[in-house]
Amino acid sequence: MKFVFSTFLILISAGMNIVIAQTNYKLVSDIPYRTETEQAADEYVAERCKLDLYYPENTKDFTTVVWFHGGGLTGGEKFIPEKLKENGIAVIGVNYRLYPKVKCPVYIEDAAAAVAWAFKNIENYGGNKDKIVVSGHSAGGYLTSMIGLDKHYLADFGIDADDIAMLVPFSGHTITHFTVREERGIPGTQPIIDEYAPLYFVKAKTPPLVLITGDRELEMLGRYEENAYMYRMMKVAGNQQTKLLELDGFDHGGMASPALELLLKEIQSLNQ
């Protein structure tokens, strides 16, 4: 299904003549990002492994944000964040398979498949594959970090994770996700760092990584402290491309709206 959106930019020349340039935005819904064979073999793949693409139709070389929804890896639905609309960028909202119908690492593999779709297809819509940003809130932030830091997920699709222009996880776990621990019978209060923890992949060379959390006193399950430790260990490892931003006064859910504004600010550098 396709919908068209429009916005107007008023450009005033030196002679004060007013020129109105129209930018049309199109939404293409429910694009499968898994192969036809995979969809035919698994009804849940056919149901969940889809994405929505919102893009500026008459623009070239634009930045694309791949956006993963939250929901603890057990719920949630793809959407295009309102604050990202009509900003001259494309946004890809992704659905992925959920626990308990699947277990780790299936949802991470789905996230990688969706990002690989962006790399392989966005230029067909006018975008630039060198300007692909990956972001998401909560569980979506966790998926963002996992596929951007553990390079084998994207390598399975022939993509180098270091080619991601920027990683911007919102309030994502940097230890092993609590749902992954639940799958193993590990209490949510017992932190684990293993191959399903972004912290396991601390290193000097990564895409630019912008860690955003809510207020440390209001966040969920020590989420600020996890991200602060990730930031510090990246610095210890010699990584110069990681930053940490804390949104004072905002809790885990409330931080997403102002974080979207920070995301837009951060990606401005890609158009310079």
Side-chain angles (χ1 to χ4, degrees):
M1 184 177 297
K2 298 181 179 180
F3 298 91
V4 177
F5 303 83
S6 297
T7 188
F8 294 93
L9 301 177
I10 299 178
L11 306 177
I12 303 178
S13 69
M16 298 304 291
N17 294 319
I18 297 177
V19 179
I20 299 178
Q22 180 176 349
T23 300
N24 297 318
Y25 289 85
K26 181 175 288 186
L27 177 64
V28 186
S29 299
D30 291 330
I31 302 172
Y33 61 81
R34 288 291 193 175
T35 67
E36 291 184 1
T37 300
E38 289 170 319
Q39 295 175 70
D42 188 329
E43 290 184 359
Y44 198 40
V45 169
E47 174 192 346
R48 289 290 301 184
C49 294
K50 295 180 179 179
L51 56 83
D52 295 344
L53 170 63
Y54 170 96
Y55 70 101
E57 189 176 19
N58 55 337
T59 305
K60 299 295 182 182
D61 199 42
F62 51 76
T63 296
T64 299
V65 175
V66 181
W67 176 259
F68 295 112
H69 67 79
L73 302 175
T74 63
E77 292 292 332
K78 60 181 167 60
F79 67 100
I80 307 297
E82 288 295 325
K83 285 192 173 182
L84 299 185
K85 292 182 178 179
E86 299 194 13
N87 276 286
I89 64 173
V91 186
I92 296 175
V94 182
N95 264 355
Y96 48 89
R97 285 173 286 177
L98 302 168
Y99 177 77
K101 287 190 175 182
V102 299
K103 293 185 177 180
C104 186
V106 171
Y107 27 71
I108 306 173
E109 294 166 349
D110 284 350
V115 171
W117 183 96
F119 271 95
K120 294 176 181 180
N121 291 278
I122 200 61
E123 290 186 346
N124 297 331
Y125 297 88
N128 186 335
K129 67 180 181 180
D130 295 327
K131 297 180 180 181
I132 293 176
V133 176
V134 184
S135 187
H137 178 231
S138 196
Y142 169 75
L143 295 174
T144 295
S145 296
M146 282 301 302
I147 64 166
L149 300 178
D150 182 351
K151 298 182 67 172
H152 95 268
Y153 290 107
L154 279 169
D156 288 345
F157 298 93
I159 305 295
D160 186 343
D162 287 345
D163 289 338
I164 296 172
M166 191 176 297
L167 300 167
V168 191
F170 296 6
S171 291
H173 266 309
T174 66
I175 62 173
T176 300
H177 195 280
F178 63 75
T179 294
V180 180
R181 284 176 278 152
E182 179 183 341
E183 292 176 14
R184 303 173 182 178
I186 300 171
T189 53
Q190 181 179 342
I192 298 293
I193 298 174
D194 61 13
E195 69 271 26
Y196 299 118
L199 264 166
Y200 193 80
F201 301 97
V202 165
K203 52 195 169 184
K205 187 177 185 297
T206 65
L209 174 62
V210 183
L211 303 164
I212 309 178
T213 78
D215 190 313
R216 69 189 71 186
E217 298 299 333
L218 301 174
E219 262 288 4
M220 176 187 291
L221 296 173
R223 204 63 57 90
Y224 167 80
E225 287 78 8
E226 288 181 43
N227 281 265
Y229 186 59
M230 179 83 167
Y231 165 80
R232 181 53 55 199
M233 293 309 297
M234 283 291 199
K235 294 300 182 185
V236 170
N239 189 299
Q240 300 301 313
Q241 300 209 87
T242 299
K243 66 170 67 174
L244 173 66
L245 303 174
E246 178 185 5
L247 290 165
D248 289 350
F250 292 92
D251 63 13
H252 183 73
M255 65 78 64
S257 180
L260 288 167
E261 297 179 24
L262 291 176
L263 169 61
L264 287 171
K265 182 178 179 180
E266 291 292 332
I267 66 177
Q268 287 176 3
S269 63
L270 300 179
N271 296 319
Q272 294 176 356

